[in-house]
Amino acid sequence: MNDGVFDEHGAVQRFEEHRDHLRAVAFRMLGSSGEADDAVQEAWMRFARTETADVENLRGWLTTVVSRICLNLLRSRRTRREDALDADLPLAAAPSAGGDPESDAVMADSVGLALQVVIDALGPAERVAFVLHDLFGVPFDRIAPVLDRTTEATRQLASRARRRVREGRERAEADRDARQQKTVVDAFLAAAREGRFEDLLAVLDPGIIVVADEDAVATGFAGREVIGAAAVAAIFNGQAKDAITVLVDGLAGAMWAPGGAPRSVLAFAVVDGRVAAIDIMNDPATIAARDIVTVGD
């Protein structure tokens, strides 16, 4: 603005200095690159209609504006009971038209799919409080007016959101670890069934230890303890033809269950992508005491 005349070039220049920041804020709140761009565009239109020459902290002012826009969008979503991410939740933010590839790359690195999914589970007010404070360092006394809450109530919202995000990330990490363990166990069983000795060695930790219970030894297993990758690979090579993958107390394992009745259960310990230990259980009472769940491929 200048003497009552709108300086479009100057306004555009001032706004563009903060566009990447505003888009990052909007994306983290909305989880959708398209909606983030729409929110930033709406923020631009509001900026263009408002006298801001006397605004000392334009970045903060614009952050408040785009946050309110995002809050309204989130509340509208909830009212319509729509899936908050629709089909637009990417692993990272999609580049904006004519955007800066370097800033898009930074944004992609900083917004992981798992974190965005967890954030999406938050209610609108929690989500805004958490994103602004924990991800962008906005003080609670500046967030409170956006949410129409007191500073203390806003602090409590962020604290509750932070706890839910932490719990969600822990669950996601546990799921990821379980998938990684299953991949290793599947590779072990495949190599064992097909008699691929070298592949068995590759998936076994050099210092692997196999412990078998007395029932397993009585039915022909090599001994109570077998130590070393070569010795273990020699025992399992060409075996496990009828073994299936299961979860044993939540961790990847294997089971031999002819006729559907568990006869032998193997619990695996996977460390750094290799099988570090196997616990072989043939005792019916021991097997019955374990939580065993069959899993698909």
Side-chain angles (χ1 to χ4, degrees), residues 113-148:
L113 176 61
L115 175 59
Q116 191 62 52
V117 169
V118 173
I119 291 176
D120 186 60
L122 302 175
E126 287 182 337
R127 191 162 172 168
V128 170
F130 174 79
V131 168
L132 287 180
H133 182 268
D134 284 47
L135 301 187
F136 290 94
V138 179
F140 288 120
D141 59 355
R142 281 180 45 200
I143 303 171
V146 175
L147 300 175
D148 195 23

Side-chain angles (χ1 to χ4, degrees), residues 122-273:
L122 302 175
E126 287 182 337
R127 191 162 172 168
V128 170
F130 174 79
V131 168
L132 287 180
H133 182 268
D134 284 47
L135 301 187
F136 290 94
V138 179
F140 288 120
D141 59 355
R142 281 180 45 200
I143 303 171
V146 175
L147 300 175
D148 195 23
R149 307 284 181 97
T150 65
T151 299
E152 182 56 33
T154 302
R155 189 188 309 276
Q156 292 175 1
L157 277 173
S159 177
R160 185 164 65 237
R162 191 178 305 117
R163 183 172 60 253
R164 294 181 62 188
V165 168
R166 182 174 62 250
E167 292 170 352
R169 296 185 79 167
E170 288 172 352
R171 287 195 298 271
E173 289 173 1
D175 290 344
R176 181 198 61 201
D177 290 344
R179 288 193 297 270
Q180 291 176 341
Q181 289 173 348
K182 181 179 181 300
T183 298
V184 173
V185 172
D186 285 344
F188 169 86
L189 292 176
R193 291 187 191 108
E194 298 165 16
R196 292 185 275 112
F197 186 80
E198 293 300 324
D199 291 340
L200 263 177
L201 284 179
V203 80
L204 297 176
D205 184 270
I208 182 175
I209 178 170
V210 177
V211 178
D213 65 15
E214 293 180 358
D215 286 40
V217 174
T219 55
F221 192 73
R224 287 281 287 168
E225 289 188 359
V226 178
I227 299 175
V232 173
I235 291 172
F236 284 97
N237 194 40
Q239 305 300 316
K241 295 186 182 300
D242 298 317
I244 60 174
T245 304
V246 296
L247 293 179
V248 182
D249 295 335
L251 299 177
M255 180 174 68
W256 180 56
R263 298 286 185 85
S264 183
V265 172
L266 280 65
F268 288 73
V270 177
V271 179
D272 294 334

Side-chain angles (χ1 to χ4, degrees), residues 62-74:
L62 288 170
T63 300
T64 297
V65 170
V66 83
S67 297
R68 285 176 172 153
I69 294 168
C70 291
L71 180 61
N72 290 335
L73 287 171
L74 291 169

